Amino acid sequence: MEQYIIKGGRPLNGEVTISGYKNAALGIIAAAIMTDETVKIENVPNVKDIEVLLRAIEDIGAKVERSKNSVKINASKINSVSVDFDYIRKIRASYYLLGALLGKYKSAQVALPGGCNIGSRPIDQHIKGFEALGCEVKIEHGLICAQTVNLAGAHIYFDGSSVGATINTMLAASMADGMTILENAAKEPHVVDVANFLNSMGANIKGAGTDVIRIKGVKKLHGSEYSIIPDQIEAGTFMFAAAASKGNVLIKNVIPKHLEAFTAKLMEIGAEVEEFDDAVRVKASGRLGNTHVKTLVYPGFLTDMQPQMATLLSVSKGTSIVTESIFENRFKYVDELSRMGASIKVESNTAIIDGVERLTGAVVSAPDLRAGAALVIAGLMAEGFTIVENVEYIERGYENFEYKMQQLGAAMEKIDSEDSKAVRKFKLKVS
Ligand code: UD1
């Protein structure tokens, strides 16, 4: 098993370039199979979740050609609408293949999705969307099976704002007969990116980025070339890592508007954030202050940045309160942070954080993707050595994470837990 070893206490300095947004890429790759023509997608991050989705579409007959961060997809020879493999159950966004296959072939069977264990993750709103478009949806043998003779546009009011249900219904509706109106739609940047990509393929989608999306179905989609937006979560993670390490980092290839909730909180607790056209600089020195944070749908504070924020607050002055309002089980990293000396009490969906002077290095285990990144930030701040186990979670969503950290001056390496000499070698190297 691979793990990260980190020696804390070094400020991050320099520049880091942010990769394409994994969560947008997942929707866009699924959408790419809706045309028989070739699609070229740029700025695709090399992360595990993307690898899995590309393998899944290859397995049902799509031709996939990868080179560095671009991928060409041709789905003219899809020979099955059934996607059920061990690996596909591990990622959440496998469900986008339902919307894409339904739009194109009016039939799909996809294994029930997995993904990070951050709370119960129902798919009732996806099903509501597909049923409203005229599909029959059943769960059988661990598969979601949906089919119809004819997809018909509909007026759909989602019960809650869901990124996944919005994108999935939008995918299917873009090839339905007539007009679909999605109300209470999610407004997140990746909903907009998937809509822009579908429009570049000839779809007719208006209003993405607001809570009402209007989709006029088209008979056919065509090939396209498209570049994915930068990853707001990777950018936010480096912003918080820069502040946590009391560093000075220019974070490049970002859309500063997508980072405003993080920028506001960093400035509120005393870090400096400077915005440029497509970059932000984060600087911090001294101990930062306390605040209250509540996760919300976009443009509120993103739930995927909650663990990184709480980690930073664990060494800030005073008492901070972090409330998680999107997923109920997103504080599993707190026990790990406590092993490093943090003082955090979780009561239902709220964490009460009493800032301590310092964290001390320990062996900790990443419970999920974003919490794993937060534990790396903790390691950067801690006195001594930290080992973060289960890095495969982190690699699901961060491209070249340790390399990017090393380029900023972090003493951090990926080692094999079976290699008994690796820890000693690292300690010698960095001391
Ligand atoms: C996406 C992101 C994830 C992020 C989340 C919220 C991807 C691949 N993942 O996840 O990183 O944390 O948005 O920004 O893009 N819900 C229902 N019924 C449904 C669907 C969702 O009740 O059918 C609830 C969920 O339990 C949750 C809330 O709605 O409480 C938001 O979930 P949703 O926006 O759908 O998250 P995902 O698309 O799974």
Side-chain angles (χ1 to χ4, degrees), residues 21-24 26 49 92-93 95-96 118-127 160-167 186 188 190 233 296-298 302-304 325-328 330 369-370:
Y21 197 177
K22 174 201 72 129
N23 287 349
L26 292 165
D49 277 15
R92 182 91 197 131
Y95 54 39
Y96 290 145
I118 51 179
S120 79
R121 298 181 79 172
I123 53 160
D124 56 300
Q125 297 304 301
H126 301 240
I127 293 173
S161 167
S162 159
V163 174
T166 302
I167 292 180
E188 271 67 3
H190 45 314
I233 310 171
L296 292 168
V297 297
Y298 187 80
L302 184 62
T303 167
D304 290 54
S325 68
I326 310 290
F327 294 110
E328 76 267 24
R330 216 163 187 173
L369 164 58
R370 306 302 170 188

Side-chain angles (χ1 to χ4, degrees), residues 16-29 41-51 66 68-71 189-190 193 226-236 238 251-255 258-259 369-370 394-400 404:
V16 61
T17 302
I18 296 307
S19 303
Y21 197 177
K22 174 201 72 129
N23 287 349
L26 292 165
I28 286 171
I29 289 168
I41 312 166
E42 308 274 4
N43 210 24
V44 180
N46 275 311
V47 294
K48 283 273 154 54
D49 277 15
I50 299 293
E51 211 178 278
R66 284 205 86 166
K68 283 195 183 154
N69 289 105
S70 86
V71 58
H190 45 314
D193 212 31
Y226 193 81
S227 182
I228 291 170
I229 54 168
D231 192 325
Q232 61 171 163
I233 310 171
E234 189 198 8
F238 278 100
I251 297 148
K252 300 197 306 190
N253 185 36
V254 301
I255 298 174
H258 294 169
L259 309 176
L369 164 58
R370 306 302 170 188
I394 303 173
E395 290 178 337
R396 287 182 45 184
Y398 289 90
E399 184 174 52
N400 298 331
K404 288 185 182 186

Side-chain angles (χ1 to χ4, degrees), residues 33 55-62 77-83 85 97 101:
I33 67 168
R55 209 171 131 197
I57 64 169
E58 261 184 320
D59 276 330
I60 56 169
K77 301 223 162 51
I78 290 215
N79 50 42
S80 166
V81 292
S82 180
V83 188
F85 309 98
L97 293 175
L101 290 167

